Amino acid sequence: MSRVALIDYDRGNLLSVERALSYSGADVDITDDPDRVATAERVVLPGVGAFGDAMDGLRERGLIGPIRQFVASGRPFLGVCVGMQLMFNEGEEFGTHEGLGLLPGRVVAIPAKAADGSNQKIPHIGWNKLCPTRCDDFQGNALLGGIGNTPYTYFVHSFMALPSDKTDRVADCDYNGINICAAVNRNNIWGCQFHPEKSGEVGLRILQNFITMGWQN
Amino acid sequence: MQNIRLIARLDVKAPNLIKGIHLEGLRKLGDPGDFARRYYHDGVDEIIYIDTMASLYERNTIIDLISKTAENVFIPITVGGGVRSVNDARTLLRSGADKVAVNTAALKRPELITEISRVFGSQCVVLSIQAKQQDGGWEAYGDNGRERSGIDVIEWAAKGAKLGAGEILVTSIDREGTRQGFDLPLLQAITGSLNIPVIASGGMGALDHLVVAVKEGGADAVAMAHVLHYQELELTDIRRHAVSANLNVRICT
């Protein structure tokens, strides 16, 4: 059984993520203990709410260093929703806040106007289709491989990541003509803007992939 | 356009799923968890549980229901009925709900919306409005359609959005259970004045009602009860019809 540390920093729908990970076969350790995070086999960083507030939650618990340490070890790391946003350099929600800096880029508000100038509904809520950005399909992708031809996942967010390095984008989705960064990856670092734990069978497959993927030391 | 969501609404009088017309005349239909699981496997986008008899003392059965459902239904679950405080919201969210719906308590104390959204985020707060036609407009009702509030629905929806609600669930009491289609003027009035998603509820009877609610009513999602619980329409048919009408819906294989 794969041991996954699920970071508990009091900002996230922890139980939903835990249930889905367990259902997918993981041995989940819900923890805010810096040592258990730094030495876990795999780590998932959930997150719901505001960027700056979420970073405060990690800082208060002394988790920023351990997370960076874990990522440097090369083992699989997955940020979900705000957890993915925190992986970047900075976020603009309620002022500018420093993130974990695991990937270059920033997090900005989803534009209030759609591509055609009409008003957007914010937050972006609902199921949206993942479109591969690195190649034609997700076949062979360690996280998104095997999710089928109609990979819809559940989104609920008002802010979106803007990776500075385009090659870090793995999947996008279209929101009224605006390209939203849906998934990112660089080496062992993975991020999903959507909620795999709320995305039915497609989401469960993604979590299963994360739990079973290998890594290079 | 945002993706249109197909939502199953289950009114619960623990331990049963119930169904009525105009929110009255209730019939017991069975274990709500079984229904929810079936809808999940049939491809529903979200589940809404409304606890119709929520009281200060008897919340354990709905909590059990949410926990059990969340064990193997991996789509968003919204729970409403008797949510009166941040603590009530916390209890439900901890049991497995992703969002809470507030109605009666918010009518009496609108600050509740802000309080819950401050702690858990706007995306966790659905303002549930039960609307009845009145003098050319609509009046908001509390207590599951039993209590008049004297408050105008359109103004209330706008206020709720300002106070921090992430979505509005609007149920037409006049159309509820009738299967005669949604209250279109009601939908148009609400969606025209808001920038947050609106879930239309009350009146789904034929496949085309959904299309009209979205294309003409501006709804972002449709909550269905009667047609699903009595198996008058299948989710696969509803989704197929939506696709053929060029609505942006999730494609399930």
Side-chain angles (χ1 to χ4, degrees):
Chain A
M1 246 198 202
S2 197
R3 277 182 306 112
V4 179
L6 175 58
I7 300 181
D8 178 3
Y9 59 123
D10 203 23
R11 282 140 179 93
N13 54 336
L14 213 55
L15 292 177
S16 303
V17 182
E18 189 264 326
R19 268 190 206 99
L21 283 168
S22 298
Y23 189 89
S24 304
D27 173 14
V28 185
D29 176 20
I30 296 182
T31 179
D32 63 354
D33 183 281
D35 288 328
R36 272 151 67 187
V37 169
T39 57
E41 183 187 295
R42 287 157 216 274
V43 167
V44 174
L45 178 66
V48 165
F51 188 104
D53 182 64
M55 282 305 294
D56 287 343
L58 290 178
R59 196 172 294 116
E60 283 156 17
R61 290 163 179 74
L63 288 169
I64 296 179
I67 288 174
R68 292 194 176 126
Q69 209 182 318
F70 174 84
V71 165
S73 75
R75 279 165 276 153
F77 179 89
L78 175 66
V80 175
C81 196
V82 171
M84 163 173 140
Q85 293 175 356
L86 297 183
M87 293 178 352
F88 290 89
N89 294 125
E90 63 179 32
E92 294 177 0
E93 193 170 0
F94 300 133
T96 307
H97 301 272
E98 195 185 322
L100 293 168
L102 302 175
L103 292 176
R106 33 193 260 278
V107 175
V108 302
I110 295 175
K113 299 267 180 202
D116 64 0
S118 60
N119 280 338
Q120 294 259 57
K121 297 252 173 167
I122 304 290
H124 169 213
I125 297 184
W127 296 79
N128 209 333
K129 188 174 175 190
L130 298 182
C131 299
T133 46
R134 277 182 185 163
C135 7
D136 289 337
D137 56 42
F138 291 120
Q139 230 180 45
N141 186 280
L143 186 74
L144 303 174
I147 58 177
N149 297 322
T150 54
Y152 281 75
T153 52
Y154 193 84
F155 291 80
V156 51
H157 62 122
S158 308
F159 284 75
M160 62 183 199
L162 287 182
S164 308
D165 188 339
K166 271 196 300 208
T167 62
D168 286 340
R169 294 175 96 111
V170 174
D172 280 354
C173 68
D174 172 67
Y175 186 40
N176 294 327
I178 295 191
N179 239 5
I180 289 191
C181 179
V184 292
N185 165 237
R186 181 187 285 204
N187 300 323
N188 59 318
I189 303 169
W190 297 88
C192 301
Q193 177 61 72
F194 54 89
H195 288 271
E197 75 284 7
K198 291 287 135 190
S199 298
E201 298 297 308
V202 170
L204 291 175
R205 177 58 192 261
I206 291 171
L207 291 176
Q208 236 162 35
N209 287 346
F210 178 72
I211 292 164
T212 54
M213 66 170 58
W215 67 85
Q216 290 167 327
N217 275 317
Chain B
M1 195 203 291
Q2 187 135 235
N3 232 285
I4 304 303
R5 288 165 281 150
L6 305 179
I7 302 177
R9 199 187 92 224
L10 293 91
D11 292 343
V12 176
K13 185 177 172 181
N16 293 298
L17 168 69
I18 56 172
K19 193 64 203 80
I21 292 178
H22 305 309
L23 297 173
E24 290 179 347
L26 310 166
R27 253 185 84 180
K28 295 181 190 173
L29 296 177
D31 180 346
D34 289 343
F35 281 78
R37 252 175 302 282
R38 176 156 55 88
Y39 298 147
Y40 168 60
H41 286 296
D42 288 346
V44 84
D45 292 326
E46 296 190 22
I47 298 280
I48 298 179
Y49 280 136
I50 301 290
D51 184 355
T52 61
M53 295 301 280
S55 75
L56 290 166
Y57 312 102
E58 269 303 316
R59 208 182 283 286
N60 290 328
T61 20
I62 194 86
I63 289 173
D64 274 342
L65 172 63
I66 302 168
S67 290
K68 286 214 171 69
T69 305
E71 272 170 26
N72 45 29
V73 170
F74 297 102
I75 54 177
I77 300 170
T78 302
V79 182
V83 180
R84 295 181 186 86
S85 65
V86 172
N87 262 345
D88 285 343
R90 179 175 286 118
T91 303
L92 295 172
L93 294 169
R94 280 241 168 91
S95 331
D98 299 286
K99 312 182 226 179
V100 294
V102 293
N103 178 13
T104 310
L107 280 169
K108 296 192 170 127
R109 212 173 63 83
E111 309 79 73
L112 176 65
I113 299 172
T114 311
E115 286 164 13
I116 299 177
S117 65
R118 279 241 173 87
V119 177
F120 299 106
S122 288
Q123 78 290 331
C124 282
V125 184
V126 177
L127 175 59
S128 172
I129 301 179
Q130 279 158 354
K132 191 155 201 272
Q133 287 161 7
Q134 177 74 33
D135 297 331
W138 298 267
E139 183 180 354
Y141 275 58
D143 198 17
N144 207 38
R146 293 187 276 263
E147 201 182 299
R148 298 182 66 167
S149 70
I151 294 173
D152 174 77
V153 164
I154 311 307
E155 285 171 13
W156 176 223
K159 186 171 179 183
K162 276 215 188 74
L163 288 171
E167 292 172 273
I168 304 283
L169 165 66
V170 58
T171 304
S172 161
I173 296 176
D174 303 288
R175 293 299 178 103
E176 223 289 310
T178 63
R179 285 120 70 229
Q180 284 169 10
F182 296 94
D183 183 336
L184 217 48
L186 168 63
L187 288 180
Q188 286 163 340
I190 284 196
T191 62
S193 61
L194 290 181
N195 232 30
I196 61 173
V198 174
I199 306 167
S201 178
M204 176 75 181
L207 293 174
D208 227 44
H209 291 156
L210 156 72
V211 178
V212 170
V214 172
K215 287 191 172 167
E216 294 178 37
D220 302 282
V222 165
M224 303 168 282
H226 191 119
V227 287
L228 295 180
H229 306 334
Y230 287 109
Q231 293 181 281
E232 290 179 8
L233 292 176
E234 293 291 325
L235 275 158
T236 35
D237 294 331
I238 297 171
R239 194 174 290 281
R240 194 179 304 127
H241 186 79
V243 170
S244 71
N246 282 323
L247 294 189
N248 231 12
V249 285
R250 168 166 74 125
I251 312 281
C252 297
T253 38

